[in-house]
Amino acid sequence: MTTAQCGSCHPGQFSDLKARGGGHRLECRQCHLVFHVPQRSDEDFIDQMPRCAGCHGHPHENIELPCFSCHRNAHAPAVPIKNDLLKDTCQKCHPQAAGMLDERSNAHAVMNCDACHTEDHGMIPDCFQCHEPHYPSQKKDQCMNCHHPHRPRSGELPIAADTQSCKSCHSSVYAVWAGTSSRHGDWACSVCHIRHGEALACRDCHDPPHEPAMLEKFKRCTGCHFNPHDPSTTR
């Protein structure tokens, strides 16, 4: 029998394989070696079904669950994998993500994995499903520049951080920085603020900025350059 002939009597399985079968898009008889044999019991039916391990071995070495606990439709093996049995097992395959969440430093840590990963296994949610953007035209992919989803308040800012996001909370500071004639105006916020809420010391970049005698007399840079966002303005 051909696969098309099988599909004429089993349209649901045929449609699942065609649309979502993934690596299982095979000729039916590659898996179903025995079929259309009279069945006297459920055990007879099970005996006729192919064994996952015949092709896949034991792919998840650290998870001891029957394959159909997660992959409930062999004709669409990856859709969906969400179910209650997986609720407490995600960390077995994703220890790094689980470790970040266990730090309990953010609201994501008190949520189950499937609160965000609501659909297929491996599905990455859209941050804006729950969170408002920092400004109306912000693009979705910019969130990941600053926020790791499993540790969203880490505060680590890359050089490519979006300065418009900074402006949304620090509008007055942003206005001073945007209007400065100093070279600080050529640098993004994240050059000096490597972590959110922290700033480099002046001498991390300007060392030494003046003659030793002047530095001995004026020990604090902000004594003269009182606004680091516009250091050209002095007292």
Side-chain angles (χ1 to χ4, degrees), residues 17-18 51 70 82 93 118 127 161-162 166 177 184 187 229:
L17 279 170
K18 185 176 180 180
R51 297 290 185 266
C70 304
K82 176 187 174 184
C93 287
T118 55
C127 301
D162 177 18
C166 305
W177 169 80
H184 281 197
W187 301 98
H229 299 101

Side-chain angles (χ1 to χ4, degrees), residues 104-124:
R104 302 286 172 181
S105 60
N106 61 86
H108 286 189
V110 299
M111 300 165 64
N112 289 331
C113 301
D114 61 2
C116 294
H117 304 284
T118 55
E119 297 175 11
D120 302 346
H121 185 257
M123 169 261 188
I124 304 297

Side-chain angles (χ1 to χ4, degrees), residues 36-77:
H36 290 178
V37 175
Q39 299 160 12
R40 294 181 300 276
S41 66
D42 290 342
E43 286 76 14
D44 292 335
F45 175 77
I46 292 172
D47 286 342
Q48 293 177 30
M49 291 299 102
R51 297 290 185 266
C52 303
C55 293
H56 300 288
H58 190 52
H60 308 297
E61 295 179 1
N62 53 354
I63 293 182
E64 296 296 336
L65 290 173
C67 301
F68 280 98
S69 298
C70 304
H71 306 281
R72 293 182 173 178
N73 184 348
H75 300 99

Side-chain angles (χ1 to χ4, degrees), residues 15-227:
S15 296
D16 282 345
L17 279 170
K18 185 176 180 180
R20 302 176 296 177
H24 283 192
R25 282 184 200 153
L26 306 167
E27 295 291 332
C28 300
R29 295 203 60 181
Q30 287 184 247
C31 293
H32 298 282
L33 303 179
V34 179
F35 59 97
H36 290 178
V37 175
Q39 299 160 12
R40 294 181 300 276
S41 66
D42 290 342
E43 286 76 14
D44 292 335
F45 175 77
I46 292 172
D47 286 342
Q48 293 177 30
M49 291 299 102
R51 297 290 185 266
C52 303
C55 293
H56 300 288
H58 190 52
H60 308 297
E61 295 179 1
N62 53 354
I63 293 182
E64 296 296 336
L65 290 173
C67 301
F68 280 98
S69 298
C70 304
H71 306 281
R72 293 182 173 178
N73 184 348
H75 300 99
V79 183
I81 297 184
K82 176 187 174 184
N83 63 66
D84 292 339
L85 288 172
L86 280 180
K87 182 173 62 175
D88 298 320
T89 62
C90 301
Q91 69 271 17
K92 291 183 178 180
C93 287
H94 306 284
Q96 184 177 15
M100 291 181 181
L101 289 170
D102 281 345
E103 294 172 5
R104 302 286 172 181
S105 60
N106 61 86
H108 286 189
V110 299
M111 300 165 64
N112 289 331
C113 301
D114 61 2
C116 294
H117 304 284
T118 55
E119 297 175 11
D120 302 346
H121 185 257
M123 169 261 188
I124 304 297
D126 178 351
C127 301
F128 293 162
Q129 288 176 208
C130 298
H131 303 282
E132 293 291 328
H134 288 293
Y135 56 94
S137 61
Q138 186 178 25
K139 296 180 180 178
K140 297 174 182 178
D141 58 0
Q142 290 174 327
C143 301
M144 300 295 183
N145 287 341
C146 299
H147 304 284
H148 191 289
H150 300 111
R151 190 192 282 151
R153 299 190 65 180
S154 66
E156 296 174 3
L157 302 177
I159 296 299
D162 177 18
T163 56
Q164 288 294 315
S165 294
C166 305
K167 178 183 178 182
S168 65
C169 290
H170 306 285
S171 57
S172 58
V173 170
Y174 183 92
V176 173
W177 169 80
T180 184
S181 59
S182 77
R183 285 189 292 177
H184 281 197
D186 297 331
W187 301 98
C189 307
S190 55
V191 172
C192 295
H193 303 282
I194 297 174
R195 292 180 58 84
H196 189 258
E198 298 179 7
L200 293 176
C202 300
R203 294 198 183 191
D204 288 338
C205 295
H206 307 282
D207 190 22
H210 299 291
E211 294 296 322
M214 180 179 287
L215 295 176
E216 182 62 28
K217 183 177 181 181
F218 302 100
K219 298 184 182 298
R220 296 184 59 191
C221 302
T222 52
C224 297
H225 306 281
F226 63 93
N227 191 334

